[in-house]
Amino acid sequence: METQTQDKFELEGREFILLGTAHISESSIAEVGRVIEEQNPNVIAVELDEKRYESIENPEIWKNMDIIKVLKDKQGFLLLANVVLSSYQKKMGGKSGSKPGQEMVAAVNTAKELGLERVLVDRPLSITMRRAWAKTPSSERFKLLSYLCSSAFSNAEMTEEDIERLKETNEMDTMLQELSTTLPVAKEVLIDERDRYIASKIWNSSGKKVLAVIGAGHMRGVKAYLEQMADDESLADVSEIETVPEKSKSSKFVAWLIPALIIGLIAYGFVIGGKEKGAELLSSWIIWNGILAGIGSIIAGGHIVTVLVSILGAPLTSLCPFIGIGFVSGAVQALIKKPTVNDIENLQNDSSSVKGFYRNRILRVLLVFFLSSIGSSIGTFVGGASFVAIFSRIFNGQ
């Protein structure tokens, strides 16, 4: 070990240098250029994916976003998580005077200047976030979003010393341990899988001397996987973690079973309880789903038409696995209050505060999408619970 931020070792006749950075550290930017020149590698591996690299090369790419298409493609939660995560890094970077990820930009630019081969080694963020969401149990998903939001809106101050400590392995281990305890599945996808993915891309690069610029939190895991790959190259095949897992047959079955069960119970209520009890079951389902979805839209600051659509649409969309009320209400909000170029340009700045979320029309659409979905989900459970009480009265002859 050369320093706290560097690890240099040989495997199978190849030399690997891991340079650990803090993504919001000014000193990391300077260190990247210095270490590249000192070590003179023939390949530089950078913890970026193609999309993030493209956004660095073309900062105006945000202006091409179609928020309705995002919702239609079921990317709403992904975009929300991405925006919140970016907001947190931007906030921390602002306190240090450095834009997040500038040390990676420095690595790419230095590689260009020196004519060195550059390899992007991180997994696409969209795959990582969708895998994290897909693998996280439904009961834990709200906790995951709460964790992201609490980080984004935290007012905790970070000193320059705090930021530099992010490059120390022991500090990073403590943070990752907290995440693994609170959200073990998210930690597996966000950290462990990416460690293996990054290591595989480094291992599969063509260089005899590879310098990898990665976040300090990945250093230990990446090195461990590289050492394992030296013994078993099959570990370098990461095809199974490059895609979003398909829904299991059982989850698809449940997605249809619940609506069928609700419809069946309402029909059964009409049969055994008559028109009065059947209507009570039906109205209970409509009221709980509609009202709670509407409340979600109200809290999100949705337009009155959006609120009405949420109230009227939630009882129906809750019975259809193909479409959720979040898409419907979010799309209506986007059509009525069309996002402007200014909203797109200020997206990341506005996402750093609660006030900004309500001011920015794109973020308001995401709030409507998210909160109406949450309201409808709660309404489904509450409505189902009310069925139990109604059937209890039916069977007791009341």
Side-chain angles (χ1 to χ4, degrees), residues 28-313:
S28 283
I29 299 172
E31 186 177 19
V32 164
R34 177 179 59 79
V35 173
I36 291 175
E37 291 188 9
E38 286 178 356
Q39 297 296 337
N40 192 30
N42 47 33
V43 171
I44 296 177
V46 186
E47 187 195 324
L48 285 174
D49 60 65
E50 291 290 346
K51 284 288 186 183
R52 280 186 287 163
Y53 177 66
E54 184 181 353
S55 68
I56 291 170
E57 291 288 286
N58 178 20
E60 304 295 304
I61 199 169
W62 280 100
K63 295 183 180 180
N64 299 322
M65 184 176 64
D66 181 344
I67 187 62
I68 294 181
K69 186 176 186 302
V70 169
L71 298 180
K72 184 179 180 181
D73 293 343
K74 299 183 179 180
Q75 302 290 305
F77 283 113
L78 170 62
L79 178 59
L80 180 61
N82 193 6
V83 166
V84 169
L85 203 57
S86 297
S87 167
Y88 173 71
Q89 284 196 322
K90 184 177 177 65
K91 183 185 294 185
M92 293 300 99
K95 294 173 183 178
S96 70
S98 171
K99 292 182 180 179
Q102 285 303 295
E103 85 284 11
M104 300 298 169
V105 176
V108 170
N109 290 339
T110 304
K112 285 182 179 179
E113 291 169 8
L114 299 177
L116 301 174
E117 182 182 348
R118 179 266 301 155
V119 179
L120 305 181
V121 297
D122 202 5
R123 183 170 62 185
L125 182 61
S126 60
I127 297 295
T128 296
M129 297 306 295
R130 288 169 65 192
R131 281 184 65 84
W133 188 255
K135 296 188 72 172
T136 299
S138 298
S139 59
E140 298 289 319
R141 287 179 176 179
F142 184 72
K143 188 187 293 185
L144 174 59
L145 285 169
S146 298
Y147 182 88
L148 291 172
C149 290
S150 64
S151 298
F153 300 133
S154 171
N155 293 318
E157 293 291 329
M158 286 188 76
T159 65
E160 187 174 339
E161 290 74 20
D162 292 331
I163 292 168
E164 290 307 307
R165 277 202 297 271
L166 292 177
K167 295 188 291 185
E168 298 179 13
T169 304
N170 59 334
E171 290 284 333
M172 192 60 67
D173 283 349
T174 300
M175 294 173 64
L176 297 184
Q177 187 59 45
E178 290 177 1
L179 181 60
S180 66
T181 301
T182 309
L183 296 163
V185 175
K187 187 262 182 183
E188 176 191 346
V189 176
L190 298 175
I191 306 299
D192 300 337
E193 285 188 0
R194 284 178 64 216
D195 284 348
R196 182 184 168 194
Y197 187 93
I198 291 169
S200 75
K201 296 302 178 184
I202 294 172
W203 182 261
N204 290 326
S205 66
S206 59
K208 282 289 186 179
K209 185 174 184 179
V210 184
L211 189 152
V213 182
I214 59 177
H218 292 291
M219 285 184 69
R220 181 174 296 180
V222 167
K223 182 180 181 180
Y225 274 116
L226 284 170
E227 291 173 337
Q228 292 175 47
M229 288 170 190
D231 295 327
D232 181 4
E233 286 207 28
S234 66
L235 288 172
D237 179 4
V238 291
S239 54
E240 79 275 12
I241 60 172
E242 285 186 306
T243 58
V244 180
E246 291 187 9
K247 289 185 178 180
S248 64
K249 290 183 179 179
S250 59
S251 63
K252 291 179 181 178
F253 175 72
V254 170
W256 282 104
L257 175 63
I258 293 176
L261 184 61
I262 294 298
I263 294 172
L265 287 173
I266 292 173
Y268 186 57
F270 275 101
V271 172
I272 66 170
K275 185 184 297 184
E276 181 182 343
K277 294 300 181 184
E280 185 179 359
L281 285 165
L282 181 60
S283 61
S284 176
W285 176 256
I286 293 173
I287 289 171
W288 282 116
N289 260 273
I291 295 301
L292 291 179
I295 290 174
S297 288
I298 291 171
I299 295 173
H303 189 275
I304 183 62
V305 175
T306 304
V307 174
L308 291 174
V309 167
S310 298
I311 293 172
L312 297 174

